[in-house]
Amino acid sequence: MSLRASVTNRGAILLGKNVACDAFEEGKPLRVVTHAHADHMVGLQKSLRTCEKVLMTRATKDMIEVMRSPLFLMSGIVETMDYGKTIQYDDERITFFRADHILGAAQVLVEDVEAKRIVFTGDFRIEDTPILDSDALIIEATYGNPACKRSFGIDVKTALISLIEKGLKQGTVYVFGYHGKLQEIMEILHKGSVVAPFIAPEKVFHISKVCERHGMKIGRLMLATEIEAKELLEHNLPCIAFFHMESKSKVGLDSFRVCVSGWEFGSAIRQTGIKEYVVALSDHSDFNGLLEYVRHSKPEVVITDNFRVSNGEPLAREIRKRFGISAFALPQRHS
Ligand SMILES: [Zn+2]
């Protein structure tokens, strides 16, 4: 059997004859963007200029237009895909499925001329992601190392809510995270009935509005430049300010600070300063979750994405060892 699936040195996930996901690849007529994180938009301008079509969900398109600019996607033909919708190209069929990661995230299934199923998971969290049957599976490997297991035995969301409520008693709480994750936290706090004004700088604000348009419930959010918001922040009054991780060393230095990160395996909450904490809320599967996907997907061959994080090798090794399935990491890394 010659299944066409690969990951190139530049991070393109190749499925079948025609599809390149998440990075540009010369000669592939279809480019897929599985979601709006930067490491999945590699070479997107080039793809827009040269591919016949660029496929993504409507939510991903809306997110990119806010993150980059409304004009960013206009240099090519973008076709938005609903989950479950199939398009035919040449003699292959391409279908998107939901991935529980950030708003708009998708898994991609390509069925080739022999009806073989080639699947790319994209980034995903096992808890709420449908597992697709596959013949060839390309799986993300962010936490592909056996050390990357989260077994806290407590509900991280509940712990996050209590921590933030504790912080609000002292004044403003700054929450730092990545796009998509910040909005998930807003939703957790809103649903958890945390009563405090939410404040965000411009980009986070507009991404939140996109999330709201696509059905997320985040409650009332103020722009950080509004007078009311400025006053709250200036006087360190109880409110929650959501900033991108890159602002961590620039704002809220003397306030109560919560950083949200997936790279935490020891405990759900870890104190890192007098008023600073890290919360282990991840939008990726841990090691066990990755293996669970493979087990249920029943592929004949697995390729682990070794481009985005270098845990592809250990994951491939464990898959071979535990399931006896042919598995290897791509691209190969030479150290
Ligand atoms: Zn991602």
Side-chain angles (χ1 to χ4, degrees), residues 28-46:
K28 297 290 175 186
L30 300 180
R31 163 72 190 265
V32 167
V33 181
T34 58
H35 64 285
H37 278 150
D39 56 338
H40 299 262
M41 293 197 277
V42 181
L44 183 50
Q45 270 306 325
K46 207 167 177 190

Side-chain angles (χ1 to χ4, degrees), residues 45 48 64-66 68-76 78:
Q45 270 306 325
L48 285 161
I64 293 173
E65 284 173 346
V66 171
R68 299 292 165 97
S69 91
L71 302 175
F72 187 83
L73 295 172
M74 291 188 57
S75 48
V78 173

Side-chain angles (χ1 to χ4, degrees), residues 315-329:
L315 181 60
R317 198 180 313 126
E318 291 295 321
I319 291 168
R320 289 194 298 271
K321 203 167 84 186
R322 292 174 191 224
F323 307 131
I325 297 172
S326 161
F328 50 97

Side-chain angles (χ1 to χ4, degrees), residues 34-40 101-102 105 122-124 140 142 179 283-284 308:
T34 58
H35 64 285
H37 278 150
D39 56 338
H40 299 262
H101 179 58
I102 61 166
D123 289 349
F124 73 100
E140 67 129 320
T142 306
H179 294 312
D283 46 19
H284 291 268
R308 288 167 180 82

Side-chain angles (χ1 to χ4, degrees), residues 284-324:
H284 291 268
S285 299
D286 72 353
F287 175 74
N288 287 332
L290 294 170
L291 289 183
E292 192 182 328
Y293 193 106
V294 174
R295 179 174 25 245
H296 289 101
S297 177
K298 301 182 289 294
E300 289 174 34
V301 58
V302 180
I303 298 168
T304 58
D305 180 358
N306 203 31
F307 175 79
R308 288 167 180 82
V309 177
S310 62
N311 279 332
E313 292 284 358
L315 181 60
R317 198 180 313 126
E318 291 295 321
I319 291 168
R320 289 194 298 271
K321 203 167 84 186
R322 292 174 191 224
F323 307 131

Side-chain angles (χ1 to χ4, degrees), residues 63-69 179 182-183 200-210 221 223 242 244 246:
M63 297 264 273
I64 293 173
E65 284 173 346
V66 171
M67 283 173 174
R68 299 292 165 97
S69 91
H179 294 312
L182 286 172
Q183 288 74 22
E202 207 170 342
K203 196 166 270 188
V204 175
F205 179 88
H206 289 297
I207 291 171
S208 308
K209 291 289 143 189
V210 170
L221 179 65
L223 257 173
F242 296 87
H244 191 271
E246 69 193 11

Side-chain angles (χ1 to χ4, degrees), residues 81-257:
M81 297 274 287
D82 291 334
Y83 298 131
K85 177 190 157 190
T86 299
I87 64 160
Q88 179 91 30
Y89 185 92
D90 196 2
D91 49 13
E92 295 182 332
R93 290 155 52 83
I94 298 114
T95 312
F96 277 24
F97 292 88
R98 206 169 59 80
D100 176 19
H101 179 58
I102 61 166
L103 179 80
Q107 312 182 72
V108 186
L109 164 69
V110 171
E111 291 161 287
D112 69 11
V113 69
E114 293 159 22
K116 292 287 184 192
R117 295 167 63 88
I118 308 160
V119 168
F120 174 44
T121 62
D123 289 349
F124 73 100
R125 192 162 35 190
I126 191 75
E127 286 78 4
D128 214 6
T129 297
I131 298 177
L132 307 178
D133 284 346
S134 64
D135 294 298
L137 174 67
I138 303 187
I139 189 167
E140 67 129 320
T142 306
Y143 299 119
N145 194 300
C148 300
K149 286 178 201 154
R150 296 184 206 97
S151 43
F152 313 130
I154 63 157
D155 182 353
V156 179
K157 292 180 184 176
T158 310
L160 174 70
I161 292 170
S162 332
L163 178 67
I164 286 177
E165 280 178 331
K166 178 177 134 183
L168 285 169
K169 291 190 183 124
Q170 301 176 31
T172 303
V173 176
Y174 282 79
V175 176
F176 299 96
Y178 291 99
H179 294 312
K181 180 97 67 86
L182 286 172
Q183 288 74 22
E184 187 190 346
I185 298 163
M186 290 176 194
E187 191 169 56
I188 291 169
L189 299 177
H190 178 64
K191 286 182 174 168
S193 306
V194 173
V195 187
F198 289 3
I199 295 171
E202 207 170 342
K203 196 166 270 188
V204 175
F205 179 88
H206 289 297
I207 291 171
S208 308
K209 291 289 143 189
V210 170
C211 292
E212 233 176 2
R213 282 211 303 279
H214 286 275
M216 285 178 71
K217 301 268 183 291
I218 58 174
R220 181 170 166 248
L221 179 65
M222 277 188 276
L223 257 173
T225 47
E226 283 177 45
I227 293 167
E228 195 187 340
K230 275 182 169 169
E231 282 204 359
L232 287 166
L233 296 177
E234 219 163 274
H235 299 105
N236 198 41
L237 295 170
C239 63
I240 308 169
F242 296 87
F243 279 82
H244 191 271
M245 207 55 117
E246 69 193 11
S247 305
K248 198 178 149 210
S249 58
K250 298 174 204 145
V251 295
L253 298 177
D254 300 319
S255 295
F256 194 96
R257 293 153 61 85

